[in-house]
Amino acid sequence: MTLKKMAGPLLGFVLAGCMLLMLVHPASSLDAALRGLAVWWDVLFPSLFPFFVISEIMLGFGIVHLFGALLDPLMRPLFNIPGSGGFVAAMGYVSGYPVGAKLTAKLREQGMISKIEGERLVAFTTSSDPIFLLGAVSVGFFHDASLGLVLALAHYGGGFLVGLLMSFHGRNRTGDSVKASSAPADSLGPAPAEQGSGRLRSALNAMAEARRKDGRSLGELLKSAIQSSLQLIIVVGGLVVFFNVLMALLARAGIMSVLFSLAGRLLTQAGFPPELSDALVSGFFEVTLGARSAGEAAGMLPLHFKVAAAAFILSWGGLSVHAQVASILNGTGLRYFPFMAARLVHALLSAGLVLLLWRPVVSSGLAEDWSTLPAASGLAAPGSNLAGSLSLLCILLAFLLLLSLLVLLLGKLRRLHHGR
């Protein structure tokens, strides 16, 4: 019997067990559902819904095509994806999971990226947002704003490395690229000889063409963006509630204790403190609970191990985020397995980077100096969600545009040097 044939009956058995546990422990199930609903309403809805709507409107107005044409010289050689992936990366890293997956699915639906390019893109644009990482994890869970720098370097640095590694994904496959006749203008871009104003003109033409093809008025575009974003945010909320209830039921049934014990033994054999098992197992299911457990782990544990565990959990994302991404990718042709493998690699890289960077960043006092900067304290402050994220998005896009311009200039200088 193949694994695929066994998956259906096994899933049915698990769901039947969950139903039985809900009947046995109705009060615990209700409390867990209310906690999950509170997280969705208080945190996820106000932080994700505006970005869902904004991204839909930007696609309709062709702004994604504009940035795609401008960022193509940077994204192609680095990550082997079209320039529109640079916009997805900026939105995903600023607003957090699962915005990167949502935008990737939209680009795939519009034929702007191939299947392999979509799998590369979603693999490294799914990350924690800086406000959650700096505010909730560093300040809220660890009560130390200076830890935000090493966490950010490890988490986003690990994501960058995953992007470089994923550029090799599917390179030997043929017949899956976007056809030139139907490719958007951002993927075609100007000819290699075109520089400066020529590329900008091409980008503006791509934006105008995308807007013409969309054809919806502002009112129609806003209505459609709100409707589709509401559908997605409700799915996200339902999955958050489901996994909160699932973890509560597993704890009541004693299964979580068994998992904690097994994880502790594995950590001991690997040379790590077994006290981190609670955080890692909780983070396997849900990122917020796992990061909080890492911050609240036994005080005698070395701090760098607890921060490394938090970085691992943030980069893995939890099964709740995995389920959100899988639901978004459903129907696009993009496979879930490359995403899952990339999350695991990202988690291992992030934890390793924390241990590698701990002494030069934290022990040197650089982290404390960074935490006193207005930008760092502003992102970590409560209530900075939308305004801080939009400001960071503008800064990140400007930085990517400068890098893309620098790549163009270096290419022009290289051609001039070879032409002599």
Side-chain angles (χ1 to χ4, degrees):
M1 197 175 194
T2 64
L3 183 62
K4 184 178 290 186
K5 291 181 179 179
M6 292 175 60
L10 182 62
L11 180 60
F13 177 76
V14 171
L15 292 177
C18 290
M19 288 292 295
L20 180 62
L21 288 173
M22 288 179 67
L23 293 174
V24 176
H25 305 288
S28 298
S29 302
L30 180 60
D31 290 341
L34 291 175
R35 286 196 303 271
L37 191 62
V39 169
W40 174 73
W41 181 253
D42 295 336
V43 179
L44 297 180
F45 191 97
S47 62
L48 292 181
F49 182 73
F51 279 96
F52 287 162
V53 176
I54 290 171
S55 63
E56 288 270 358
I57 294 174
M58 284 182 163
L59 275 168
F61 275 104
I63 297 175
V64 176
H65 299 72
L66 171 70
F67 280 101
L70 294 176
L71 294 176
D72 200 67
L74 177 67
M75 304 306 290
R76 284 288 184 187
L78 275 181
F79 306 113
N80 202 13
I81 56 175
S84 53
F87 181 84
V88 176
M91 288 287 287
Y93 275 65
V94 166
S95 51
Y97 16 67
V99 173
K102 192 243 187 187
L103 277 172
T104 301
K106 281 291 181 182
L107 296 186
R108 176 62 178 156
E109 289 172 6
Q110 294 186 8
M112 295 175 65
I113 55 175
S114 68
K115 175 183 175 181
I116 294 298
E117 289 169 343
E119 290 174 353
R120 292 174 188 152
L121 185 57
V122 75
F124 84 99
T125 58
T126 303
S127 70
S128 171
D129 65 278
I131 292 175
F132 177 75
L133 186 148
L134 299 174
V137 179
S138 300
V139 177
F141 300 157
F142 283 90
H143 310 291
D144 188 350
S146 66
L147 298 177
L149 179 59
V150 69
L151 264 177
L153 289 174
H155 182 65
Y156 299 115
F160 178 79
L161 293 176
V162 167
L164 295 178
L165 293 173
M166 287 299 294
S167 68
F168 298 97
H169 168 64
R171 281 196 175 185
N172 296 328
R173 298 189 181 187
T174 58
D176 190 50
S177 59
V178 179
K179 294 181 180 179
S181 60
S182 62
D186 82 283
S187 64
L188 299 176
E194 283 187 296
Q195 303 291 335
S197 61
R199 179 165 289 275
L200 179 59
R201 191 182 307 114
S202 176
L204 292 173
N205 289 337
M207 177 180 175
E209 179 65 15
R211 180 66 186 130
R212 185 190 65 80
K213 286 183 178 179
D214 185 273
R216 290 175 291 177
S217 66
L218 176 60
E220 292 173 335
L221 189 58
L222 184 60
K223 176 184 175 182
S224 176
I226 291 175
Q227 285 179 340
S228 61
S229 299
L230 277 175
Q231 289 177 344
L232 180 55
I233 200 67
I234 289 173
V235 171
V236 170
L239 289 170
V240 169
V241 171
F242 170 77
F243 276 96
N244 269 271
V245 173
L246 177 63
M247 289 187 65
L249 294 175
L250 292 177
R252 280 287 186 176
I255 298 175
M256 292 297 289
S257 299
V258 175
L259 294 177
F260 292 156
S261 178
L262 291 175
R265 293 176 184 174
L266 291 175
L267 287 171
T268 301
Q269 293 178 357
F272 294 100
E275 292 83 0
L276 293 174
S277 60
D278 288 20
L280 293 176
V281 172
S282 299
F284 175 78
F285 290 97
E286 213 284 316
V287 62
T288 305
L289 295 176
R292 180 185 290 115
S293 297
E296 296 174 351
M300 73 283 297
L301 283 178
L303 182 59
H304 60 280
F305 281 127
K306 295 198 288 186
V307 176
F312 184 96
I313 293 162
L314 288 170
S315 301
W316 166 252
L319 289 184
S320 177
V321 170
H322 283 239
Q324 294 169 30
V325 172
S327 67
I328 293 170
L329 299 183
N330 184 38
T332 64
L334 305 181
R335 295 171 298 171
Y336 165 72
F337 180 77
F339 169 80
M340 183 189 71
R343 291 299 91 226
L344 182 58
V345 172
H346 189 187
L348 294 172
L349 286 173
S350 297
L353 284 173
V354 167
L355 300 177
L356 183 65
L357 297 173
W358 186 262
R359 187 175 297 277
V361 174
V362 177
S363 300
S364 65
L366 180 63
E368 292 184 1
D369 295 337
W370 176 84
S371 65
T372 60
L373 294 176
S377 58
L379 285 172
S384 60
N385 289 358
L386 185 57
S389 296
L390 289 175
S391 300
L392 189 60
L393 176 63
C394 294
I395 294 171
L396 185 54
L397 286 174
F399 177 70
L400 291 176
L401 289 174
L402 287 174
L403 284 180
S404 184
L405 178 61
L406 180 61
V407 171
L408 279 175
L409 292 176
L410 290 175
K412 185 176 182 180
L413 291 174
R414 189 182 301 112
R415 283 190 292 271
L416 289 174
H417 178 72
H418 290 164
R420 291 180 179 177

